[in-house]
Amino acid sequence: MWRRVRLILLELAVPAAVVVAWWVWSANADNFYFPPLAEILRTFADTWVFERVGTDVVPSLARLGAGFAIAVAVSIPLGTALGLSTGARRVTEPIVEFVRAIPPPALLPFAILVLGVGDAMKVFVIALVGLWPILLNTIDGVRGVDHTMLETARVYGVRGPERLRRVIWPAALPQIFAGMRTSLSLALILMVISEMVASTSGIGYFILQSERSFDIPEMWSGIVLLGLLGYLLNAAFALVERRVLRWHRGARASALQ
């Protein structure tokens, strides 16, 4: 119990120390590009507390959520099919590796040309980039299912969708969730990048416009907001992961005893 309390206090103390150090340094720094932290926080409160939530934060999160949901919906069934079929996996592997190797920003001109500069382009880029970590982890997770479990399921007549639901997906879920966490981070990055190109709303658009007009405190407030959103999204995802994979953690703890 006390060990857990100490870990929580340490987890809070390190960020607090960084914030204090930043506050002290920036208060004495005479640099136009690094305004005092107190000014950044005042600008953050004036800009992001209610004022620009509907115009910038909500559209950004909607694009992020739509792209991430599409990536999950496409990659898990596709990864399951490729993981179960050696032939299909070998046939599609060159295409998967080729497309996956393309740098994400290089897809923006193609997406703008085909889909325009609206939300469809941004959701497409987020979904396409977020797809690969989930797809590859799903393939590896399905391939790594214990053959003894599969044979036992076959002996007991567990086949088809029932075998997927009761045997394959539960065994592959830890790796699938690992891919989803990586995909969520990439989705946040591509959300910002896509909003910096031919956009009229969003957090990325706000940061770029602030930089172009030399509104440096506003620019830093947007960067701070992105850091907070990334932290909160990761914390929410970790909470869901712990609840969904509670049985897996319990099984590992039992195996180690």
Side-chain angles (χ1 to χ4, degrees), residues 38-60:
E39 183 178 355
I40 294 175
L41 295 180
R42 283 195 301 269
T43 305
F44 182 92
D46 294 338
T47 305
W48 298 112
V49 178
F50 302 116
E51 181 180 346
R52 303 190 69 93
V53 172
T55 58
D56 290 308
V57 178
V58 172
S60 292

Side-chain angles (χ1 to χ4, degrees), residues 2 15-16 40 59 71-72 75 90 105 107 116 124 140 146 169 203 211:
W2 287 109
I40 294 175
V72 172
S75 57
R90 288 181 177 177
L107 298 171
F124 168 78
D140 288 341
D146 190 355
W169 278 339
I203 303 172
E211 179 267 334

Side-chain angles (χ1 to χ4, degrees), residues 178-201:
M180 290 171 63
R181 177 174 290 203
T182 303
S183 175
L184 185 60
S185 300
L186 292 175
L188 184 63
I189 294 171
L190 265 297
M191 177 199 78
V192 176
I193 294 176
S194 64
E195 290 175 347
M196 288 183 172
V197 180
S199 182
T200 58
S201 65

Side-chain angles (χ1 to χ4, degrees), residues 117-134:
V117 296
D119 288 346
M121 176 271 291
K122 300 171 180 60
V123 172
F124 168 78
V125 172
I126 293 170
L128 185 60
V129 174
L131 181 145
W132 305 114
I134 308 174

Side-chain angles (χ1 to χ4, degrees), residues 200-220:
T200 58
S201 65
I203 303 172
Y205 166 79
F206 175 85
I207 292 174
L208 185 62
Q209 292 301 113
S210 299
E211 179 267 334
R212 287 175 174 174
S213 58
F214 290 94
D215 294 327
I216 304 303
E218 285 79 0
M219 181 191 74
W220 276 105

Side-chain angles (χ1 to χ4, degrees), residues 232-246:
L232 293 175
L233 288 173
N234 183 72
F237 186 87
L239 179 62
V240 173
E241 183 181 18
R242 281 197 298 268
R243 290 186 178 275
V244 173
L245 298 181
R246 183 182 302 171

Side-chain angles (χ1 to χ4, degrees), residues 137-138 140-142 145 167-177 247:
N137 276 272
T138 302
D140 288 341
V142 171
V145 177
V167 180
I168 294 176
W169 278 339
L173 267 181
Q175 281 195 259
I176 294 175
F177 266 92
W247 61 270

